[in-house]
Amino acid sequence: MKIAVVILNWNGRQLLEQFLPGVVRYSPDAVVYVADNASTDDSIAFVAREFPSVKIIRNAGNFGFAKGYNAALQSVDEEIYALVNSDIEVTENWLDPIADTFANEPDTAIIQPKILDFKNKALFEYAGAGGGFIDQFGYPFCRGRVFDTVEQDEGQYDDAIEIFWASGACFFIRRDIYRMLNGFDDSFFAHQEEIDLCWRAFNHNVRIKYIPGSVVYHVGGATLQQGNPRKTYLNFRNSLLMLTKNLPKDKLYLILLQRMVLDGLAGMQFVVKGKWKHFFAILQAHGAFYRLFSSAYRKRASFQSKEYYKIKSIVVAYYVQGKKTFLKLF
């Protein structure tokens, strides 16, 4: 079972110089690709010169994360795709627990490793941490992070469990499942496209797992910083599109209405903090969502998973645990 490690790049010479050597060194049995989104720096010339074993895929434009991977993976035929951010530091034998899980669990199609913070390796990293879940209003969260606070890794999430979504920072998926689902939704551009893909996989009864035996370290925000209004816009818009595509029909409109109220409260919080650009980003996100609603609705699957209530019960149980963690931290 061959693994393709595919790193999406856009003007990322510095990140490739820092992290690509480790990927190559610690992935001896994998095929390593750099998929380039029409960079204007010398990153691809650097890869070709310094890493002749790495295969280069050249996309015709800067397609973002979603379309960038969709375009690149058309020419990747290995059985397992490992989609790895360019700001990820991998560790020795990081692929072994992943490969073993895929080999021994044919019904597991998507996997996330443990993701820790590159800047402070004792902490979980914001994007993915110890495995992702979603609450009944469509807000994603993960073990190891409570709101904007991350936990210290003390082995509390060293359990290999089923999760609802795997982080796009380091995302493993079977090639056949990726192609069956038509990959990421191009219209998302970036942010939450991996959650949408996992939800669609979940609706097809596909198992998604967190495997803590594989450890990587993520810089985070190397392309788009957490405080960037563009990030706020994409997160709010894409979250609403994802709900429209994947919620059970009998829950869709009520939850969308509730989200409008909650997003409005989030916008007012930005106003109180004087973060007007983020407030306007939420307004723009909602405007874009209204324009895209019909096209998103047409993408709905012909059936909806009856397991949505299972998600809801997992979320309630974890919020109890999360509240205890939050009180402990503060």
Side-chain angles (χ1 to χ4, degrees):
M1 183 176 296
K2 203 70 173 178
I3 295 177
V5 177
V6 188
I7 300 169
L8 191 65
N9 173 70
W10 181 69
N11 291 340
R13 159 67 188 268
Q14 183 176 354
L15 292 172
L16 291 172
E17 192 169 0
Q18 183 176 3
F19 296 112
L20 185 56
V23 173
V24 173
R25 181 183 313 117
Y26 294 134
S27 310
D29 297 324
V31 180
V32 180
Y33 295 80
V34 170
D36 186 65
N37 263 345
S39 293
T40 56
D41 68 357
D42 66 340
S43 53
I44 292 308
F46 163 76
V47 173
R49 181 178 67 251
E50 300 294 332
F51 299 95
S53 66
V54 173
K55 297 186 177 183
I56 297 172
I57 301 171
R58 300 176 186 267
N59 288 338
N62 180 16
F63 296 147
F65 185 98
K67 187 177 179 180
Y69 267 122
N70 286 346
L73 293 176
Q74 291 178 17
S75 58
V76 177
D77 291 324
E78 282 74 21
E79 296 168 276
I80 303 297
Y81 295 157
L83 311 184
V84 180
N85 277 16
S86 57
D87 60 346
I88 286 281
E89 179 184 75
V90 303
T91 58
E92 190 172 2
N93 300 319
W94 70 297
L95 292 177
D96 293 350
I98 306 294
D100 289 345
T101 303
F102 279 127
N104 295 320
E105 300 181 13
D107 56 341
T108 294
I110 299 173
I111 293 176
Q112 179 200 299
K114 179 191 287 190
I115 303 179
L116 300 176
D117 188 349
F118 177 78
K119 298 179 289 294
N120 185 341
K121 293 185 175 181
L123 299 178
F124 283 95
E125 211 279 320
Y126 184 92
F133 296 90
I134 197 165
D135 72 13
Q136 60 264 42
F137 302 114
Y139 290 113
F141 65 95
C142 46
R143 300 192 306 170
R145 166 167 61 85
V146 181
F147 301 109
D148 291 332
T149 301
V150 292
E151 297 179 41
Q152 186 165 326
D153 176 23
E154 298 176 339
Q156 68 271 43
Y157 303 123
D158 282 353
D159 50 345
I161 64 166
E162 286 192 51
I163 56 177
F164 184 66
W165 59 269
S167 171
C170 192
F171 184 96
F172 293 83
I173 185 169
R174 293 185 189 271
R175 176 199 61 206
D176 293 345
I177 295 298
Y178 186 90
R179 292 182 177 178
M180 179 193 74
L181 296 170
N182 295 316
F184 297 113
D185 187 331
D186 287 354
S187 67
F188 279 45
F189 187 77
H191 295 296
Q192 299 203 33
E193 64 285 296
E194 78 271 39
I195 306 176
D196 171 68
L197 180 61
C198 287
W199 200 333
R200 287 185 280 128
F202 184 88
N203 283 345
H204 283 81
N205 298 314
V206 167
R207 292 181 70 197
I208 304 163
K209 291 197 73 173
Y210 162 76
I211 302 298
S214 175
V215 178
V216 301
Y217 299 95
H218 186 211
V219 174
T223 303
L224 201 58
Q225 293 291 332
Q226 185 67 27
N228 192 314
R230 174 68 173 169
K231 195 182 192 86
T232 299
Y233 166 80
L234 289 169
N235 275 325
F236 277 81
R237 184 200 68 172
N238 292 350
S239 179
L240 293 171
L241 292 174
M242 178 176 65
L243 293 178
T244 301
K245 291 174 59 181
N246 296 296
L247 276 172
K249 192 172 183 179
D250 62 340
K251 298 292 182 182
L252 174 61
Y253 293 103
L254 175 60
I255 290 179
L256 283 178
L257 178 61
Q258 293 170 324
R259 273 296 301 271
M260 300 300 171
V261 174
L262 292 170
D263 286 3
L265 293 174
M268 293 308 300
Q269 184 181 42
F270 282 130
V271 170
V272 170
K273 293 180 178 180
K275 297 182 178 181
W276 287 95
K277 290 183 179 180
H278 292 273
F279 170 73
F280 288 117
I282 293 177
L283 291 181
Q284 291 167 352
H286 278 243
F289 166 67
Y290 302 145
R291 293 191 298 273
L292 294 170
F293 176 82
S294 294
S295 62
Y297 191 86
R298 287 194 296 270
K299 295 177 183 177
R300 290 174 60 84
S302 59
F303 68 92
Q304 296 299 320
S305 171
K306 297 179 180 179
E307 294 293 309
Y308 175 68
Y309 298 100
K310 180 180 177 182
I311 304 169
K312 192 171 180 180
S313 66
I314 291 173
V315 170
V316 172
Y318 181 65
Y319 264 134
V320 172
Q321 180 183 357
K323 185 176 181 182
K324 290 179 181 177
T325 304
F326 183 76
L327 293 173
K328 181 180 72 174
L329 289 171
F330 290 89

